[in-house]
């Protein structure tokens, strides 16, 4: 038994391997939120959870307490004619799924209030990409956000101070106490924020491979299963997909270049590829979970129709102009999206086929070019990045480059070229292209 009131007694109970009940967890999270739990206590609590773990009931209670630590968005008063749906990803390189999925699901009748993040480590951030669009406001007023969700069906914005504030403080302490890599802390952190958006269903994209957040396929699977279970027990039906990140998902990585790619996919300029397939599969799960389609086949047919008709592109355009971006971005992207002054085509040292790649290193090459941050708060360069990145099993030779580098200057381009050649293994013979979608883990709310 643990004393319900005193934080040190609750921390001691967790330290000694006991399970905390929901009341105890609520007490601790209330202390995070109102500041009565000091940083030392918070660090000790995080370490106790890191070392002892949490069972499913504790993780659900922690998720719900973080979700409820601030405002929980409610949409009932808007009388929306469809479900509130969202997607979250553990992040990757060339992973611009959100930019395409949000408007696409909106065009199919869903409402997508997507609160997104910035780049973290080697992974790109949806907000950084959207900020490559001149004028796009990632922090609109609450009223504007709700209007846009109602009118465009989608609004992708930044984290607000009122959503899940306990997570902000807990995450900050975890970051400096070597307690980030804890499954219950990761799950409750991700879900606490997402479930505060008042969702009817969620789909989670958990990456596997050399560019994934989790270090091994087994850990990615454990995260996917735990997220699906905990979110569903917390009342939000959630499906988790395990998808490939052993190479960039799109043939490009950076900020403006990824927005350009999203426009190419939404307008039908490009119509195949791994990115579109993963996005279609995630969106299919959402349409079925949100009862916008009776089956996967019906969902896919609807998705294909809204892409072909231009309805998905139109939702993207409405979101961009509704948040202050140019009204004709889709018609004239080159007039608005910044371009880097130096372009360098990088070839392999010898011809062959791409055998495998260090996707994390490719992401770090983009960070080094200036497309990501070295320190929190650093300004980033929206124009730099990589395009035409070769895929696993693609031939590379004098006519087929490893990638094209977009850099601010020659020196940066040279360094990125060295990184790229080291990160992409070229050899003779065919390589087996990695499985794109490893598994789909579905959990209904109880
Ligand atoms: N992303 C989050 O939001 N929280 C974590 O703990 C890890 C990744």
């Amino acid at each position: 038994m643990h004393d319900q009131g005193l934080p040190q007694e609750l921390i001691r109970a967790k330290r000694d391997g006991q399970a905390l009940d929901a009341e105890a967890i609520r007490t601790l999270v209330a202390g995070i939120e109102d500041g009565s739990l000091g940083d030392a206590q918070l660090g000790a609590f995080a370490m106790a959870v890191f070392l002892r773990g949490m069972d499913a009931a504790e993780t659900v209670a922690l998720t719900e307490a973080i979700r409820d630590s601030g405002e929980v968005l409610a949409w009932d008063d808007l009388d929306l004619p469809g479900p509130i749906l969202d997607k979250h990803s553990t992040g990757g390189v060339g992973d611009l799924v959100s930019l395409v999925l949000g408007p696409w699901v909106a065009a199919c009748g869903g409402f997508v209030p997507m609160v997104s993040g910035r780049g973290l480590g080697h992974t790109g951030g949806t907000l950084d990409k959207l900020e490559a669009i001149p004028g796009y406001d990632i922090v609109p007023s609450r009223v504007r956000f709700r209007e846009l969700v109602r009118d465009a069906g989608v609004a992708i914005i930044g984290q607000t101070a009122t959503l899940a504030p306990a997570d902000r403080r807990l995450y900050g302490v975890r970051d400096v106490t070597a307690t980030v890599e804890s499954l219950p802390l990761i799950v409750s952190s991700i879900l606490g924020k997402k479930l505060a958006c008042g969702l009817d269903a969620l789909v989670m994209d958990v990456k596997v491979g050399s560019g994934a957040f989790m270090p091994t396929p087994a850990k990615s699977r454990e995260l996917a299963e735990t997220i699906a279970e905990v979110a569903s027990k917390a009342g939000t039906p959630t499906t988790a997909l395990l998808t490939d990140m052993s190479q960039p998902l799109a043939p490009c990585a950076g900020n403006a270049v990824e927005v350009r790619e999203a426009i190419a996919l939404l307008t039908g300029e490009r119509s195949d590829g791994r990115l579109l397939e993963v996005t279609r599969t995630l969106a299919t799960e959402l349409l079925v979970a949100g009862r916008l389609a009776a089956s996967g086949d019906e969902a896919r047919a609807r998705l294909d129709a809204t892409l072909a008709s231009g309805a998905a592109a139109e939702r993207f355009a409405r979101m961009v102009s509704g948040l202050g971006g140019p009204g004709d971005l889709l018609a004239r992207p080159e007039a608005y999206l910044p371009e880097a002054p130096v372009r360098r085509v990088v070839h392999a040292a010898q011809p062959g086929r791409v055998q495998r790649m260090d996707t994390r290193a490719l992401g770090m090459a983009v960070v080094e070019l200036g497309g990501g941050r070295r320190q929190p708060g650093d300004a980033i360069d929206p124009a730099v990045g990589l395009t035409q990145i070769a895929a696993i099993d693609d031939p590379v030779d004098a006519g087929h480059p490893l990638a094209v580098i977009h850099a601010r200057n020659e020196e940066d381009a040279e360094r990125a070229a060295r990184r790229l050649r080291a990160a992409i293994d070229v050899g003779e013979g065919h390589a087996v292209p990695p499985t794109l979608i490893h598994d789909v883990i579905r959990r209904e709310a109880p």
Side-chain angles (χ1 to χ4, degrees):
M1 283 299 291
H2 43 258
D3 186 299
Q4 294 291 351
L6 281 176
Q8 55 268 50
E9 289 305 304
L10 302 179
I11 296 164
R12 176 199 293 270
K14 188 74 265 177
R15 182 201 69 185
D16 293 345
Q18 293 176 34
L20 299 177
D21 61 23
E23 178 64 33
I25 289 172
R26 274 195 295 271
T27 304
L28 285 165
V29 174
I32 300 175
E33 210 249 309
D34 68 18
S36 61
L37 199 72
D39 278 352
Q41 290 175 312
L42 192 47
F45 171 65
M47 187 57 85
V49 174
F50 182 94
L51 294 173
R52 292 297 192 165
M54 278 185 153
D55 63 24
E58 290 177 285
T59 312
V60 172
L62 185 58
T63 299
E64 289 176 338
I66 291 175
R67 175 194 67 195
D68 298 339
S69 66
E71 181 186 20
V72 178
L73 301 181
W75 303 93
D76 294 356
D77 59 317
L78 293 183
D79 245 346
L80 299 174
I84 309 291
L85 304 173
D86 199 1
K87 185 241 30 160
H88 185 73
S89 157
T90 55
V93 179
D95 175 9
L96 53 120
V97 167
S98 294
L99 301 183
V100 178
L101 178 137
W104 204 359
V105 167
C108 294
F111 291 85
V112 187
M114 193 182 284
V115 177
S116 291
R118 298 210 174 269
L120 192 66
H122 68 285
T123 68
T126 300
L127 286 188
D128 295 331
K129 295 170 200 176
L130 287 168
E131 280 193 323
I133 302 171
Y136 192 104
D137 179 10
I138 58 157
V139 282
S141 70
R142 194 172 168 282
V143 171
R144 186 76 201 107
F145 177 48
R146 284 165 57 83
E147 276 171 2
L148 208 59
V149 170
R150 183 191 64 199
D151 300 341
V154 55
I156 308 180
I157 65 159
Q159 177 76 27
T160 70
T162 55
L163 282 181
D167 178 64
R168 204 183 324 267
R169 197 168 155 232
L170 179 53
Y171 194 89
V173 168
R174 285 168 60 206
D175 203 20
V176 293
T177 55
T179 52
V180 168
E181 306 93 335
S182 149
L183 196 63
L185 294 178
I186 293 170
V187 168
S188 55
S189 167
I190 291 174
L191 288 179
K193 291 186 287 256
K194 277 286 154 186
L195 303 191
C197 293
L199 309 179
D200 294 315
L202 174 68
V203 66
M204 182 77 203
D205 184 9
V206 179
K207 308 291 188 183
V208 182
S210 60
F213 167 66
M214 298 304 269
T216 63
K219 290 224 179 278
S220 292
R221 176 170 291 276
E222 202 183 352
L223 177 64
E225 286 176 351
T226 310
I227 285 209
E229 183 186 349
V230 168
S232 299
K233 283 191 171 143
T236 305
T238 294
T239 301
L241 270 72
L242 282 164
T243 71
D244 182 58
M245 190 42 72
S246 56
Q247 57 184 333
L249 189 53
C252 60
N255 295 292
V257 294
E258 291 195 39
V259 173
R260 184 67 191 84
E261 183 73 10
I263 293 171
L265 291 170
L266 285 164
T267 55
E269 198 183 308
R270 203 182 330 282
S271 61
D272 59 2
R274 299 186 304 275
L275 177 80
L276 204 56
E277 189 47 35
V278 168
T279 310
R280 185 187 278 107
T281 308
L282 290 162
T284 296
E285 290 298 324
L286 277 180
L287 296 198
V288 173
R291 304 197 202 299
L292 290 167
S295 66
D297 284 347
E298 190 184 320
R300 272 185 290 275
R302 194 147 175 195
L303 286 160
D304 288 346
T306 49
L307 194 62
S309 71
E314 197 265 332
R315 297 301 179 122
F316 183 80
R318 260 201 255 174
M319 171 178 81
V320 168
S321 60
L323 285 169
D328 58 348
L329 178 70
L330 271 65
R332 298 195 311 130
E334 60 292 338
Y336 299 105
L337 295 174
E339 289 192 13
V342 174
R343 264 185 205 211
R344 168 85 65 95
V345 181
V346 185
H347 290 285
Q350 79 283 344
R353 285 183 180 270
V354 175
Q355 303 294 316
R356 69 191 74 77
M357 42 181 109
D358 179 349
T359 310
R360 188 176 184 285
L362 294 179
M364 290 316 293
V366 175
V367 173
E368 275 192 3
L369 283 166
R373 295 178 184 78
R374 291 162 197 269
Q375 300 287 333
D378 276 358
I380 63 165
D381 186 340
V384 300
L386 310 172
T387 56
Q388 297 180 46
I389 306 170
I392 291 174
D393 198 40
D394 275 358
V396 284
D397 50 36
H400 300 89
L402 291 175
V404 176
I405 295 169
H406 302 244
R408 196 42 60 191
N409 56 52
E410 294 291 346
E411 203 185 319
D412 288 357
E414 182 51 39
R415 195 175 35 212
R418 282 198 301 273
R419 270 220 182 247
L420 236 69
R421 287 200 193 95
I424 302 179
D425 273 7
V426 174
E428 285 175 16
H430 280 282
V432 181
T435 303
L436 188 57
I437 295 166
H438 291 272
D439 208 353
V440 179
I441 299 157
R442 298 190 183 89
R443 295 284 185 279
E444 294 285 322

